[in-house]
Amino acid sequence: MATMNQALAEIHEAIAKLHRAAAHDQDSRREHVASWLDDLFVDIKTREQLSEASGEALGLYRGGMGSFHDVGTAVMAEAVDGLNRALHAAHGRVLRG
């Protein structure tokens, strides 16, 4: 369970960084996405829920809601890259057990 909790902590920190970057860039679209991510990861209790939420969130990188292909600033790029790493790490932890 510690591994899942660590993954969740990393995701929550990455989302917080996205909130800060969105405020810095005055990017209301990405602020909305950060809030959506907050809701998505708020009540994760099982590895299956983490896997499902991580997979859904990773859809952002495939051009879904609030696509992250056009980050625009270095501040946003750093936040988006960190979120991407946290989501992939969480997904990998779930798969490894």
Side-chain angles (χ1 to χ4, degrees), residues 2-3 7 12 16 21-22 25 27-28 31-32 34 44 47-48 54-55 62 65 77-78 80 91 94:
T3 303
H12 287 296
D25 288 0
D27 187 334
S28 62
E31 178 58 38
H32 174 76
I44 302 294
R47 294 159 45 99
E48 292 77 18
S54 297
R62 293 187 294 271
M65 179 178 69
E78 184 179 334
V80 167
H91 191 67
V94 169

Side-chain angles (χ1 to χ4, degrees), residues 15-89:
I15 294 168
K17 192 169 191 174
L18 181 61
H19 277 290
R20 292 189 299 271
H24 176 272
D25 288 0
Q26 298 180 341
D27 187 334
S28 62
R29 181 174 60 132
R30 295 232 169 75
E31 178 58 38
H32 174 76
V33 170
S35 294
W36 175 80
L37 288 167
D38 282 334
D39 291 343
L40 184 63
F41 287 96
V42 74
D43 285 326
I44 302 294
K45 303 281 190 249
T46 68
R47 294 159 45 99
E48 292 77 18
Q49 289 172 326
L50 178 58
S51 178
E52 184 178 317
S54 297
E56 189 172 344
L58 285 167
L60 296 171
Y61 294 92
R62 293 187 294 271
M65 179 178 69
S67 175
F68 287 126
H69 294 293
D70 60 340
V71 292
T73 68
V75 170
M76 187 60 71
E78 184 179 334
V80 167
D81 289 346
L83 179 61
N84 190 24
R85 281 190 303 274
L87 292 171
H88 275 96

